[in-house]
Amino acid sequence: MPVPRQPRLLLVNGRILTMAGRRAQAAAVAGDRILAVGDDEQVLALRGSGTRVIDLRGRLALPGFCDSHLHLAALARRLSQLDLTRSATLDDALRKVAARA
C-alpha cells in the first residue's frame, strides 16, 4: 500500500465509507486527502512519530460531504402544488383537492 507522504491522522477501529462502494475499518489522512484505507493493521503500519490516532470505537466516518445540487425554483414549484401521485382513486384525489382548497 504505497503512501505518498506521512499521514497526520489515522482513523482506526471504525466503519469507513469510501463513496466508491468500498468499506474499510481504518483510514490514513494527510491534510485534506485520504492517503489510504484498509484494516486497522494496514493503516496503523503507516503511523509516524507525529501521527495522531483516533479510535472510532465502531462508529462511521464519512470522507466528506458533496453539494446536493438543488434546483431551487423547481423545488419551490413542486412544493406549491398538490401531490396527487399517491391517490389510489378519483375520490381520494378529489378529497385532497377539497382539503387544499
Side-chain angles (χ1 to χ4, degrees):
M1 178 182 343
V3 176
R5 59 185 192 206
Q6 188 73 33
R8 302 292 293 155
L9 173 67
L10 301 180
L11 302 173
V12 298
N13 187 29
R15 294 178 296 130
I16 311 296
L17 182 61
T18 67
M19 308 308 283
R22 182 173 172 212
R23 291 177 184 247
Q25 183 180 28
V29 181
D32 63 352
R33 300 277 185 228
I34 296 174
L35 302 177
V37 293
D39 62 30
D40 285 342
E41 185 178 332
Q42 291 171 318
V43 171
L44 283 169
L46 305 174
R47 184 179 192 173
S49 61
T51 304
R52 181 177 172 205
V53 178
I54 296 177
D55 182 351
L56 295 175
R57 295 181 289 176
R59 291 177 287 199
L60 175 68
L62 300 173
F65 293 97
C66 299
D67 176 39
S68 64
H69 189 78
L70 169 69
H71 293 268
L72 190 56
L75 175 63
R77 185 171 41 258
R78 190 172 131 237
L79 292 175
S80 70
Q81 297 171 348
L82 181 60
D83 181 7
L84 298 175
T85 57
R86 293 192 175 155
S87 299
T89 65
L90 177 60
D91 287 338
D92 187 30
L94 291 173
R95 271 192 296 278
K96 289 177 183 177
V97 170
R100 172 65 74 89

